[in-house]
Amino acid sequence: MEELERIQRRILERIAHLEFQLSLSSPSDDDDAANDATAERLSAILRVNGVNDFSFKVVPSDYYDRPLEARRHLLSAPSIHHLCKSIVLVNTQAQSHVIDCNNRNNSKFYVAVVQYTARFNAEMVKNYLYSLNEGKVPKKKFNLRLAPEELSNNLTGFGHNAVTCIGMKTDIPVILDEAIAKLSPDFFWLGGGEVYLKMGIRTSEFIQFVKPFVFSCSTA
């Protein structure tokens, strides 16, 4: 009888341990509600703007602790190169009258979408914007840096690890790294507006809707 009770205690302890581990790796009910609401809002924006080939997936809370190959598997992405992120940039040397995003060719802020497997190159962005403005703006007036988290949150409405360039609070010009546009198949993954929510989208439809600047802004 004592042996049976001991076995039962072990089983109960094991169940409790597994439940605890599950609570660490799974979003809470509040997270689920936020994921659903955000996915619905962004889906509506995409459909209204002619984007039909997209998908949302909820990932475990330890997603960013996992290697890229594990993340790729969770999203069923074709390769780790299809895993991308949106980073908010601020031009710290912009001309004094450049304080917002009214002029997309010479904006105070940009959002760059780059692959996790690539290294963002701010110098390439500087050179592109200088050429885009036909030399009318001195090159020294372009100095793109990662925006502080609070500023990024205020501009986009999305927190750390949740930033996406769909449905932002501010209409920030978007830069799409050329390497993403060349991916095959042309369907990539990026943040979905919540930490545990990721969005996959057909590249051609993304470009048609967002109308990003497409050029090389990273190195391998």
Side-chain angles (χ1 to χ4, degrees), residues 30-181:
D30 288 342
D31 292 324
D32 287 341
N35 290 336
D36 290 345
T38 299
E40 287 180 12
R41 183 175 75 86
L42 298 187
S43 294
I45 292 172
L46 290 169
R47 290 194 183 97
V48 165
N49 287 279
V51 179
N52 298 301
D53 194 356
F54 63 89
S55 176
F56 286 94
K57 284 192 178 181
V58 176
V59 296
S61 59
D62 64 347
Y63 177 81
Y64 286 103
D65 295 325
R66 303 189 185 197
L68 289 179
E69 178 56 34
R71 299 184 206 176
R72 181 209 66 76
H73 179 73
L74 284 170
L75 297 174
S76 299
S79 77
I80 58 174
H81 305 296
H82 287 74
L83 306 181
C84 306
K85 58 185 174 181
S86 303
I87 56 177
V88 180
L89 306 170
V90 54
N91 185 359
T92 61
Q93 296 298 322
Q95 295 163 297
S96 58
H97 66 276
V98 179
I99 58 174
D100 51 32
C101 304
N102 286 340
N103 180 0
R104 71 193 307 264
N105 289 357
N106 185 18
S107 176
K108 179 70 174 179
F109 309 103
Y110 288 92
V111 172
V113 182
V114 296
Q115 297 162 298
Y116 273 99
T117 54
R119 184 188 297 272
F120 173 72
N121 189 311
E123 192 68 22
M124 297 171 81
V125 177
K126 173 193 284 190
N127 292 335
Y128 179 85
L129 293 176
Y130 176 71
S131 298
L132 186 66
N133 286 274
E134 301 176 336
K136 296 175 182 177
V137 180
K139 185 175 285 190
K140 66 181 180 180
K141 291 300 180 180
F142 296 109
N143 186 48
L144 281 299
R145 291 291 179 263
L146 185 66
E149 187 173 334
E150 183 178 0
L151 177 59
S152 172
N153 196 335
N154 290 337
L155 288 168
T156 65
F158 303 122
H160 182 60
N161 284 340
V163 177
T164 187
C165 47
I166 306 297
M168 295 184 291
K169 286 172 60 177
T170 309
D171 187 16
I172 308 174
V174 176
I175 296 168
L176 180 70
D177 191 10
E178 188 176 55
I180 300 173

